[in-house]
Amino acid sequence: MTRNITIEDLYRMQFIDRPRISPDGKQVAYVVTRIDDKKHAYRSSIWISPTEGGEARRFTQETELTSAPTWSPDGRWLAFVAKRESSDQPSTTEKKEQKKPGKDKPQIWVMPTDGGEARQLTFMEHGASSPAWSPDGKHLLFSAQVGPADEETEDGKALPKVHVIDQLWYRLDGVGFIYERRAHLFLIPREGGEPQQLTDGDWNDGDAAWSPDGKQITFTSDRNEERWRIPGADIYVLALQDNKVVGEPRVLTDGSMGCASPSWSADGQQIAFIASKKVGSAGHAYLYTIGASAEKGEPKNLTPEFEGTALDFTNSDLGDEHLMPQPAWSADGKTLYVLSSHRGASRIYAISTTNGAGKEPPTVTPGNVHVRDFSLDHSKQIFAMNVADATHPQEIFVRSAKTNGELRKITGFNDALLNELQLATPEHFTYEGADGWPMDGWILKPHNFDPSKKYPLVLEIHGGPQTQYGYGFFHEMQLLVAEGYVVLYTNPRGSCGYGFEFAHAVRGAWGEKDPIDIMNGVAEVVQRGYIDTQRMGVTGGSYGGFMTNWLISHNNRFKVAITDRCVSNMATMFGVSDIGWDLGYDNLDTTPWEDLEKYMNMSPIKYVQNIRTPLLIIHSDQDLRCNIEQGEQLFAALKYMGREVRLVRFEGQSHGLSRGGHPRSRQERLRHIQSWFAKYLQ
């Protein structure tokens, strides 16, 4: 006997990520995160499973944060990042004189894969991340921030900080202030010791990867003069001799793109990477290759005709990251495997390095799946990947690189829970949006659905707008189905996965044709006859919050609405969002002081007097992407006019509350959504 999913089931789900296959292809290391229901806290650890099937074993202890498992080339060691008490820290009596820096920060640890104690390798002031083994296994490359200490103290007491800001991009949602520190690359022997800093300067370096011979490192860095206004990293190569830097880094790209995830070919002659336009990218990322010896050479775009964008942009509420794993080279160098989002799915595609992708490249992960991350063994024969779909949270799968290989599931952390639950499978449909453009939509129907009855409808609108709905798992949507609602979600213009022009179509045009695309989807479902048009609700977050505000200020079709981490005023977004100023160069082609009318015409707050739909506003007070003042403006205006409105403010949470915030806050958010819709639609 199965049952409906509940809010409390969030605490029973386990979140699986970072699959890293061993060099010999026989084991996969990955991170398992669960929620401690007594402390309302996330706990994570590294597990290992055999690729041929068998029992999974927990490799590390559970901590507040454990991530980035990385196999040594010989498979004898596993490096990882963890925030945990060091076994190497001095005794209590020695701590005052000998305390090592970086306590309570994520650091890099190493541990023998056949068992033994983990040993802390780094003691960086602000923590360390992204470990990468040298080809000979004797050193680890890693990334760490340099800059002033977290706090100033006097007589053991913290003093209030004074922030002196002279850069436009000085904070980041989910992180906080970033202007004082820079991320750089370091090298440390496997046995430990003093790390050697490889890069320096008033910029950030990252995404580092070793050349096959261990004599060079490729990495990304944004050293352009306008980096704090129009960010976009280039591809660099740094030469090493006897693990010492030789000369200055060479830049391979010309500063016109934002580059990421560089990856060496087996012969060391080529570097594959992912990049998008620096201005007007519409979130669309392409796969490129470039000669490793090039001096600002011409990169080769392998995916100019492919609609897919080269990263995981499929939405889900089981994780707060859109990953862009390194493209993986085949053994013969003729194929690159890249994770791309396409028409509701995220899959691994096989791209010819000679002929490119064309319009429909082959995929090694067919079907309606959501692949979040992947890795290949040393022989390039076996994939390990993190796969989910609309009715299954992510688990670890493996697959042979051969064309007839099948996906094989090797973990089942969520199987017991899923066996209890009755979940809705999405029904895909197509319809016409504005200008006759083809659109994708999905419907989730209540259990024991009867087409002769009338059901309340909840329309969900995704954020971005350059992301996509499709086959990601949504606890929130399944909850709404369990409450008896038909749930509708669509990919209007502006969504990714349909090519650059489709995603670019909303540049400077939010609220013009995209609401028509969405409402035409509603009309398509209504005409099927099973929707009670007097009981329709709408909700969305971020850009979806903007669109929720826009729809209810331009029509009265919905009986109730919930706007989450929303945009209400484009003009104030320019200054209060962590990246709001990009509206001036990457969206509206002007600034508020040059053309305030353009900004306000695209702002739902201008039309607030038209809103008569009961509105719940959900916002986090540490949301730096869509600052809480966006929700507060809307609340104040509606309350002043005596309209039905409620503001739920989440303390200490960021923009990603719904998919990675404090567990208790995530539950409370869902309770408010549940009760607000029930009040008006049940």
Side-chain angles (χ1 to χ4, degrees), residues 498-512:
Y498 299 83
F500 171 78
E501 294 300 331
F502 190 95
H504 192 256
V506 294
R507 186 171 189 243
W510 287 20
E512 293 183 10

Side-chain angles (χ1 to χ4, degrees), residues 245-545:
V245 173
V246 178
E248 293 296 317
R250 290 184 298 109
V251 62
L252 304 188
T253 50
D254 65 3
S256 65
M257 302 184 294
C259 305
S261 305
S263 171
W264 293 87
S265 61
D267 61 9
Q269 299 301 305
Q270 296 281 316
I271 295 173
F273 63 97
I274 295 166
S276 55
K277 297 178 181 180
K278 188 177 286 190
V279 177
S281 72
H284 191 83
Y286 299 92
L287 173 65
Y288 289 86
T289 58
I290 194 169
S293 60
E295 293 288 348
K296 289 193 176 181
E298 184 67 30
K300 181 180 180 181
N301 187 347
L302 298 179
T303 56
E305 299 177 359
F306 180 40
E307 290 180 336
T309 184
L311 75 163
D312 169 31
F313 252 155
T314 301
N315 287 304
S316 167
D317 60 3
L318 298 189
D320 195 22
E321 294 180 295
H322 291 295
L323 298 178
M324 189 185 293
Q326 291 178 326
W329 292 81
S330 63
D332 60 9
K334 295 181 179 180
T335 303
L336 276 163
Y337 300 104
V338 64
L339 180 60
S340 295
S341 303
H342 185 223
R343 293 183 174 264
S346 289
R347 306 184 183 98
I348 302 170
Y349 289 87
I351 311 298
S352 167
T353 56
T354 303
N355 301 319
K359 292 185 178 180
E360 295 185 13
T363 176
V364 297
T365 54
N368 298 328
V369 294
H370 179 195
V371 181
R372 302 184 69 127
D373 197 5
F374 77 101
S375 62
L376 267 175
D377 70 335
H378 182 72
S379 68
K380 314 299 181 185
Q381 294 300 309
I382 304 175
F383 291 92
M385 61 193 79
N386 190 7
V387 185
D389 64 29
T391 56
H392 297 86
Q394 56 263 34
E395 297 284 358
I396 304 301
F397 288 71
V398 296
R399 183 199 189 278
S400 167
K402 297 177 182 178
T403 55
N404 60 352
E406 294 183 356
L407 287 175
R408 278 193 301 110
K409 181 180 170 186
I410 64 169
T411 67
F413 287 89
N414 291 294
D415 287 357
L417 174 61
L418 292 177
N419 287 337
E420 297 178 18
L421 302 179
Q422 188 175 15
L423 300 175
T425 300
E427 174 187 314
H428 173 254
F429 69 100
T430 58
Y431 65 96
E432 285 191 359
D435 303 326
W437 282 25
M439 297 286 152
D440 279 337
W442 290 266
I443 304 167
L444 294 174
K445 294 177 179 177
H447 314 312
N448 302 316
F449 176 79
D450 182 348
S452 67
K453 295 182 178 180
K454 297 285 187 179
Y455 293 86
L457 173 76
V458 171
L459 168 66
E460 291 261 8
I461 307 172
H462 70 62
Q466 279 89 28
T467 62
Q468 65 170 7
Y469 273 150
Y471 302 105
F473 187 95
F474 269 92
H475 179 225
E476 175 184 320
M477 291 187 189
Q478 294 289 348
L479 277 173
L480 293 172
V481 170
E483 292 287 300
Y485 306 110
V486 169
V487 177
L488 166 66
Y489 50 101
T490 69
N491 283 335
R493 71 192 62 209
S495 304
C496 73
Y498 299 83
F500 171 78
E501 294 300 331
F502 190 95
H504 192 256
V506 294
R507 186 171 189 243
W510 287 20
E512 293 183 10
K513 295 181 179 180
D514 38 348
I516 299 174
D517 296 340
I518 293 168
M519 293 306 295
N520 281 7
V522 173
E524 170 66 25
V525 177
V526 166
Q527 65 87 25
R528 298 184 180 200
Y530 52 74
I531 299 299
D532 182 346
T533 57
Q534 300 305 307
R535 292 191 296 156
M536 298 199 304
V538 59
T539 184
S542 197
Y543 163 84

Side-chain angles (χ1 to χ4, degrees), residues 32-70:
V32 178
T33 302
R34 67 176 184 88
I35 298 174
D36 184 330
D37 59 355
K38 294 183 175 59
K39 297 183 178 180
H40 302 287
Y42 297 104
R43 306 290 290 174
S44 57
S45 57
I46 293 172
W47 288 64
I48 293 179
S49 290
T51 54
E52 292 299 320
E55 189 172 349
R57 63 185 174 100
R58 196 175 76 184
F59 183 72
T60 68
Q61 67 185 54
E62 279 192 325
T63 67
E64 174 188 345
L65 183 152
T66 302
S67 66
T70 309

